[in-house]
Amino acid sequence: MQTQAPPAIAVDIFIPCFIDQLFPETGFNMVKVLEKLGCNVHYNPNQTCCGQPAMNAGFFDDAVEVATKFIDDFSGERFVVAPSASCVGMVRNAYSKLFEGSLQQAPYNKLRRRVYEFTEFLTMVLKVEKIEGASLKGIAAYHDSCSALRECGIFAGPRKLLSNVSGLDLRNIADNDNCCGFGGTFAVKFEAISTAMAAQKLENVIAVGAEYIISTDSSCLLQLDAYIRKEKMNIRCLHVADVLASGW
């Protein structure tokens, strides 16, 4: 097990819309952890969106335009790291359909092999299982986002990282592979179902006595936090990057 990355490994970071507009501190915390591990972090200020909102809404031509820009923005040779399995899943899976048979298919194929979700990059590329100094006292439940679990196959990595955070008691919850109810526009179009799914998730969190819900995806955390605030629950939602950057 390594606790420090090889020196001067270069990465580009992609900051998703949710992080940029609502949770900028999570982006800064991701950079903080990557730099602690010896990474040379690059940020392209021209980056925008991965194209997922447009695609999910059925605007495929717009999605192709935004996705083409994404490919151009990250056309180098560095790893691309994002604090969002949802965006990574979009690039890895949906782009293959958007660009099938097009001139962008070749550059996309090169990019696809370099794009990683944050915890995935730490555990699979850097071979890191512990962030020295990371500490958070309390009981936590880890939430598997649908994108992380089903689109990216992420399961053990974030759990290993969190299990090595000093003071954190990480507990499993029932039906953890169930959706939180967000699903992008699903939460708008099917509000009642979305709310019921969030309620069920939080019932399971409460059952293990958790004070924190931790996930790879801020969109899930936004959904759950809205229900928590509405019901005045004493539970805090945290992105895994915020936890790994805490205490040092």
Side-chain angles (χ1 to χ4, degrees), residues 33 118-119 122 131 133-134 161-162 165 239-246 248:
V33 172
F118 172 59
T119 65
L122 296 187
I131 304 300
L161 289 163
L162 292 170
V165 172
H239 191 282
V240 64
D242 300 325
V243 177
L244 297 179
S246 64
W248 51 275

Side-chain angles (χ1 to χ4, degrees), residues 142-171:
Y142 177 76
H143 165 65
D144 289 291
S145 76
C146 295
S147 296
L149 189 63
R150 296 176 175 86
E151 292 194 50
C152 300
I154 296 169
F155 181 83
R159 287 176 168 82
K160 173 59 73 173
L161 289 163
L162 292 170
S163 69
N164 286 320
V165 172
S166 178
L168 192 64
D169 179 0
L170 190 65
R171 298 183 180 178

Side-chain angles (χ1 to χ4, degrees), residues 166-182:
S166 178
L168 192 64
D169 179 0
L170 190 65
R171 298 183 180 178
N172 293 318
I173 64 173
D175 301 322
N176 201 55
D177 58 347
N178 285 358
C179 178
C180 69
F182 179 66

Side-chain angles (χ1 to χ4, degrees), residues 1-134:
M1 180 184 73
Q2 296 184 23
T3 57
Q4 188 165 4
I9 186 167
V11 301
D12 283 317
I13 57 168
F14 173 62
I15 303 299
C17 307
F18 263 98
I19 302 295
D20 179 53
Q21 297 297 315
L22 299 173
F23 306 102
E25 69 281 359
T26 297
F28 286 116
N29 282 331
M30 178 181 73
V31 172
K32 184 179 175 182
V33 172
L34 290 172
E35 289 183 338
K36 181 183 179 73
L37 294 172
C39 294
N40 186 1
V41 178
H42 298 261
Y43 173 74
N44 179 355
N46 293 320
Q47 64 180 266
T48 52
C49 177
C50 67
Q52 185 175 184
M55 191 197 73
N56 288 347
F59 297 100
F60 299 111
D61 290 343
D62 293 327
V64 168
E65 183 178 351
V66 177
T68 298
K69 184 180 186 304
F70 184 97
I71 292 174
D72 292 339
D73 288 341
F74 296 100
S75 59
E77 298 299 323
R78 294 188 285 262
F79 290 105
V80 180
V81 182
S84 168
S86 178
C87 294
V88 171
M90 169 72 179
V91 174
R92 284 186 183 167
N93 303 310
Y95 278 23
S96 61
K97 298 177 181 178
L98 290 176
F99 296 117
E100 186 176 8
S102 74
L103 295 176
Q104 287 289 351
Q105 187 165 3
Y108 159 66
N109 289 337
K110 292 180 180 179
L111 172 65
R112 186 179 187 276
R113 294 189 290 269
R114 297 185 286 110
V115 177
Y116 286 86
E117 182 273 329
F118 172 59
T119 65
E120 186 183 44
F121 181 74
L122 296 187
T123 57
M124 295 183 65
V125 177
L126 301 184
K127 307 300 181 184
V128 168
E129 295 182 351
K130 180 178 181 179
I131 304 300
E132 293 294 340

Side-chain angles (χ1 to χ4, degrees), residues 217-235:
D217 282 76
S218 292
S219 53
C220 296
L221 296 174
L222 183 72
Q223 159 81 354
L224 295 172
D225 187 60
Y227 190 85
I228 288 168
R229 290 174 182 271
K230 179 176 179 289
E231 298 298 323
K232 297 180 172 58
M233 297 175 174
N234 190 26
I235 301 173

